[in-house]
Amino acid sequence: MPELPEVETTRRRLAPLLVGRTVAEVRTTRPSYFFLTPPFRLRRALAGRRVERLERRGKYLIGALDDGGRLVLHLGMTGQLFSSAATSHRLLRVADRAILGPEEQRRFAPDRHTHLRLRFRDAGPEVWMRDARKFGKVLWLAPGEESERLDRLGTDALAATGALLFAATRGRVVAIKSLLLDQAVIAGVGNIYADEALFGAGVRPTRRAGRVSRTECERIARELRCVLERSIETGGSSISDYLAPDGADGTYQDERRVYARAGEPCPRCGTCLRRVVLGQRSAHYCPRCQC
Ligand SMILES: [Zn+2]
């Protein structure tokens, strides 16, 4: 699932493809739960609008439009947002990868999962949003319209401090990792980076949030910023369906110390890394370095 670094990487690489360009036409697939704003309204609202800025809040991308409206995009689990000029074999289904030759694999034509296609007046590359599982979201907000989805987001993970985390954990019996994943507390943290930050801070993911000390909260916040910034630098983690708008792969997955490494030796002490299930998601940790 794309997390903050992947969404931020998408924002940085997508911005030059969107900002300053005027939408000529919007093409969509049929109405579905992917569209929080019905396709017919989306087509009407976006045609003729120029994108002024592309911002990020947590895992949401927000295109500010010249009339004050906003186009809100969320990648969900398998969403892909990219240029029609992008080339990547990751855009193909596994079955196609198996039959097509390497050169054919680079071409991608919009398929039934390509739910949103923005064509621009300058006739340059289009911007496409594809999502095989449709957990992604597209929402248009009229000028001045508020959004509960955006309003309920906590502090962006890149700006989270130890003091904020300490205040949010007091009296809480939930596991510290579950609290880190709560988007109303800190926006943008997902499974990979929560596990990595807790490893860096030496705090076990299952510990009650209320039992994490002020110093540990400082360490967790610092580690969180470090792993997120490092991941943004490397273009995010290319696991599952995530790909950057230009089709390039990120390489952060090669730097993971604990995430999805259960059974391997801890990079710090050599103890066998463990995996536990916590709130329907797996957490990875070192039983010796993290208490
Ligand atoms: Zn260890």
Side-chain angles (χ1 to χ4, degrees):
M1 175 190 263
E3 299 187 20
L4 187 150
E6 292 78 47
V7 180
E8 178 61 19
T9 300
T10 300
R11 187 193 70 78
R12 291 181 188 185
R13 298 192 190 167
L14 196 63
L17 279 166
L18 279 179
V19 176
R21 298 179 78 192
T22 302
V23 177
E25 187 198 8
V26 179
R27 270 173 295 175
T28 68
T29 49
R30 280 185 299 176
S32 69
Y33 54 85
F34 178 82
F35 297 101
L36 293 177
T37 301
F40 77 93
R41 198 183 297 162
L42 212 51
R43 287 193 289 266
R44 210 184 297 158
L46 297 180
R49 296 276 65 84
R50 194 178 67 245
V51 183
E52 308 245 279
R53 287 182 313 282
L54 185 63
E55 296 161 350
R56 182 188 56 76
R57 279 203 59 196
K59 298 186 221 176
Y60 287 90
L61 286 171
I62 306 162
L65 306 172
D66 61 347
D67 64 349
R70 290 180 288 174
L71 174 65
V72 182
L73 306 169
H74 194 285
L75 295 173
M77 300 272 286
T78 54
Q80 301 171 319
L81 204 44
F82 55 98
S83 157
S84 60
T87 55
S88 170
H89 69 278
R90 297 171 70 82
L91 287 165
L92 295 170
R93 287 177 303 136
V94 178
D96 291 336
R97 282 181 215 167
I99 16 175
L100 298 176
E103 274 319 299
E104 289 172 301
Q105 290 199 10
R106 300 198 137 263
R107 286 200 305 266
F108 172 76
D111 57 6
R112 67 195 173 90
H113 301 302
T114 313
H115 301 298
L116 183 68
R117 291 154 71 183
L118 302 178
R119 193 168 62 76
F120 298 92
R121 281 196 186 152
D122 60 19
E126 297 187 6
V127 168
W128 293 343
M129 187 168 179
R130 180 171 182 255
D131 191 347
R133 291 176 68 182
K134 290 200 285 199
F135 289 121
K137 294 281 170 266
V138 176
L139 167 71
W140 171 74
L141 295 171
E145 188 181 346
E146 295 295 318
S147 160
E148 207 189 299
R149 274 169 193 274
L150 298 179
D151 291 344
R152 68 176 174 223
L153 291 176
T155 307
D156 193 81
L158 285 178
T161 62
L164 176 137
L165 196 55
F166 185 68
T169 50
R170 290 313 85 191
R172 298 290 305 271
V173 295
V174 293
I176 180 66
K177 180 172 173 190
S178 305
L179 186 128
L180 289 178
L181 295 179
D182 183 347
Q183 301 297 300
V185 178
I186 299 180
V189 184
N191 229 10
I192 303 176
Y193 303 99
D195 279 2
E196 294 298 317
L198 288 169
F199 174 76
V203 175
R204 201 174 283 206
T206 48
R207 178 135 42 114
R208 272 187 186 192
R211 298 252 173 93
V212 179
S213 73
R214 186 184 291 271
T215 317
E216 287 171 326
C217 284
E218 294 286 350
R219 280 213 297 268
I220 294 171
R222 195 168 55 233
E223 286 291 327
L224 209 45
R225 269 198 312 276
C226 281
V227 293
L228 292 170
E229 279 165 7
R230 175 62 193 153
S231 184
I232 293 167
E233 247 172 61
T234 59
S237 296
S238 290
I239 49 174
S240 182
D241 294 283
Y242 170 73
L243 93 167
D246 49 7
D249 278 349
T251 58
Y252 186 79
Q253 66 278 11
D254 304 333
E255 299 188 15
R256 285 171 297 128
R257 295 166 295 178
V258 289
Y259 180 80
R261 289 202 190 278
E264 294 179 34
C266 166
R268 222 178 257 159
C269 74
T271 304
C272 197
L273 296 173
R274 285 195 198 154
R275 170 182 177 272
V276 283
V277 175
L278 197 62
Q280 297 173 336
R281 314 190 57 184
S282 48
H284 309 81
Y285 69 98
C286 170
R288 189 157 168 212
C289 298
Q290 293 169 265
C291 55

